[in-house]
Amino acid sequence: MDFNHTDTQVQIAEMIRDFANKHIRPKMMEWDESQKFPRELFKQMGELGLMGVLVPTEYGGSGLGYFEYVTVISEIAKVCGSIGLSTAAHNSLCTGHILYFGNDEQKKKYLPKLASGEWIGAWGLTEANTGSDSGNMKCTAVKDGDHWVLNGTKNWITHGISGDVAVVLARTGEPRAKNNITSFIIEKGTPGFTSGKKENKLGMRASETAELVFDNCRVSDAQRMGPTGNGFHQAMKVLDGGRISIAALALGIAKGAYEASVKYSKERYQFDQPISNFQAIAFKIADMATKIEAAELLIYQAADMKNRGEKMTKQSAIAKYYASEISVQIATDAVQIFGGYGYTKDFPVEKFYRDSKLCTIGEGTSEIQKLVISRDILK
């Protein structure tokens, strides 16, 4: 594996830094306070090729690989975790699911709109009582002629209100039966498909999270993706890539908190010298740097395997688990380095602190990652 960043990665990072400083940084705290999802921002990002990073050029995407994708998510998250999270969910979940498992007609219909940012995508797996226990989901799809009728709710769905199209996993067999879940593409405005409660969150507040509600929602069989009952298998494959997304998101948040801490430690004087001169602060910064380097290596190992088409379930789980946990640790240390200022919204690290925690929960908790890792080792 080549550890040097490619010219493309360097150019992407520079482009995102310029874009973020102009369009994200000035508004991010306003969006955070009001919990506003900045829909127009994502249209602008689509014009830059950031909404279809992995989508082939034939479907209107950028046609890039996972190294470039990690760069996109981590560079955005260095400035704002919320925007990074929405970019990741759009790319790897909804768009990624259609890319990997949609038929050619479905890809031609949906991928160009998603890759351009004209449409925002949502992905519905989680339910109120079946977060990790997806085989026991309550949302059902019943065959009725050449249609399916969906009933139930999905919770904690990114872009649950603003999404123009959702990939929804519904139970088409008995609870806990093998091959009992099927995936469907459902457009906003389909009768019986509405949005429910918007969550009031600790962090990632500008990334909209809400319920999807299905009340006798009829969709054509043409909206089904893959064979009936194949949905759980599809979801697990999608989540393999999604774990790299969240790992990259956590990495970006960690880097943002670390860089802010280094800068502040050189500028903040106590006892007539910068606090970076004190070993207590210097050692925290050394620990931050070490954890970031280790997380980045794990992420790029998983990304390299994904690019080569190798099975990387364990590696993506390790990367996601480690990166998300160290992101919380680094954000916590950053607040400590900033002291009282770190606890205020006038300085950036309190937002990194709040945003980081989601990374240990979303797309599989740290506990689920350890389950995936241990099962792979002990099988």
Side-chain angles (χ1 to χ4, degrees):
M1 178 178 161
D2 185 354
F3 291 96
N4 293 313
H5 289 314
T6 65
D7 289 342
T8 303
Q9 285 176 277
V10 172
Q11 291 167 7
I12 288 171
E14 291 174 350
M15 175 187 71
I16 290 173
R17 286 184 204 122
D18 291 342
F19 179 83
N21 285 327
K22 184 177 180 180
H23 297 286
I24 299 176
R25 198 181 299 278
K27 293 285 191 72
M28 66 181 188
M29 290 308 296
E30 177 187 327
W31 297 332
D32 184 80
E33 291 287 330
S34 64
Q35 298 195 71
K36 178 185 176 182
F37 176 66
R39 178 68 179 79
E40 284 305 309
L41 178 76
F42 290 90
K43 186 70 184 296
Q44 293 175 283
M45 290 168 63
E47 293 169 359
L48 295 176
L50 303 178
M51 300 300 279
V53 179
L54 301 166
V55 175
T57 55
E58 65 183 289
Y59 297 116
S62 298
L64 299 173
Y66 263 80
F67 288 168
E68 293 78 15
Y69 180 55
V70 168
T71 301
V72 167
I73 302 302
S74 60
E75 285 295 331
I76 294 172
K78 278 172 66 174
V79 177
C80 180
S82 293
I83 305 306
L85 173 60
S86 279
T87 306
H90 173 92
N91 272 278
S92 73
L93 298 181
C94 179
T95 305
H97 199 138
I98 296 171
L99 174 62
Y100 296 134
F101 297 104
N103 58 39
D104 195 50
E105 184 179 338
Q106 291 165 339
K107 291 178 183 179
K108 287 177 179 176
K109 182 176 180 180
Y110 293 108
L111 290 180
K113 292 181 178 180
L114 290 164
S116 68
E118 177 187 349
W119 279 18
I120 294 291
W123 193 71
L125 174 66
T126 304
E127 298 180 6
N129 296 310
T130 56
S132 301
D133 185 15
S134 56
N136 196 33
M137 66 173 56
K138 301 296 187 287
C139 182
T140 60
V142 178
K143 190 78 182 294
D144 182 19
D146 60 354
H147 283 72
W148 293 84
V149 180
L150 279 76
N151 281 286
T153 60
K154 295 291 178 179
N155 296 71
W156 305 102
I157 308 305
T158 305
H159 312 140
I161 295 171
S162 297
D164 299 282
V165 63
V167 172
V168 178
L169 287 298
R171 182 164 56 78
T172 50
E174 293 300 314
R176 302 200 187 285
K178 191 176 181 181
N179 300 325
N180 69 340
I181 296 172
T182 303
S183 62
F184 301 89
I185 306 172
I186 307 180
E187 296 180 25
K188 189 175 185 178
T190 301
F193 175 31
T194 57
S195 300
K197 175 190 175 187
K198 180 179 177 179
E199 302 296 341
N200 184 8
K201 299 178 296 182
L202 168 71
M204 304 289 196
R205 289 165 61 84
S207 179
E208 175 189 282
T209 304
E211 283 182 323
L212 301 179
V213 181
F214 302 93
D215 183 8
N216 291 319
C217 175
R218 290 178 64 85
V219 296
S220 166
D221 189 56
Q223 299 302 107
R224 172 176 50 83
M225 267 196 294
T228 300
N230 192 236
F232 182 79
H233 169 78
Q234 295 174 15
M236 294 304 101
K237 292 292 184 183
V238 169
L239 286 173
D240 277 350
R243 290 181 185 123
I244 295 176
S245 289
I246 300 300
L249 178 68
L251 176 68
I253 292 170
K255 284 184 173 183
Y258 163 74
E259 291 176 7
S261 297
V262 171
K263 182 174 183 291
Y264 182 80
S265 72
K266 293 178 179 179
E267 296 171 350
R268 171 68 167 166
Y269 272 66
Q270 290 285 276
F271 305 100
D272 303 318
Q273 58 184 311
I275 63 172
S276 59
N277 284 357
F278 298 108
Q279 191 178 80
I281 301 300
F283 278 17
K284 282 187 188 297
I285 289 171
D287 283 339
M288 288 177 169
T290 302
K291 290 170 183 175
I292 286 170
E293 292 278 351
E296 196 158 26
L297 287 171
L298 288 170
I299 292 166
Y300 278 105
Q301 179 193 33
D304 181 54
M305 294 175 73
K306 181 72 173 174
N307 279 341
R308 289 190 277 116
E310 295 182 10
K311 185 177 183 297
M312 33 62 78
T313 300
K314 183 182 76 172
Q315 284 73 19
S316 65
I318 288 173
K320 195 270 188 190
Y321 168 52
Y322 184 76
S324 62
E325 291 291 337
I326 65 99
S327 184
V328 173
Q329 294 164 17
I330 288 170
T332 301
D333 281 345
V335 172
Q336 198 70 18
I337 288 171
F338 274 72
Y341 291 116
Y343 205 65
T344 70
K345 292 182 182 292
D346 295 327
F347 289 79
V349 291
E350 69 85 29
K351 185 174 184 298
F352 290 127
Y353 181 72
R354 289 185 289 110
D355 287 349
S356 66
K357 187 57 191 170
L358 183 277
C359 299
T360 69
I361 299 169
E363 295 193 36
T365 63
S366 290
E367 290 73 21
I368 286 294
Q369 304 313 314
K370 288 191 277 189
L371 187 66
V372 171
I373 297 162
S374 61
R375 280 181 175 173
D376 190 275
I377 293 168
L378 300 171
K379 66 183 177 182

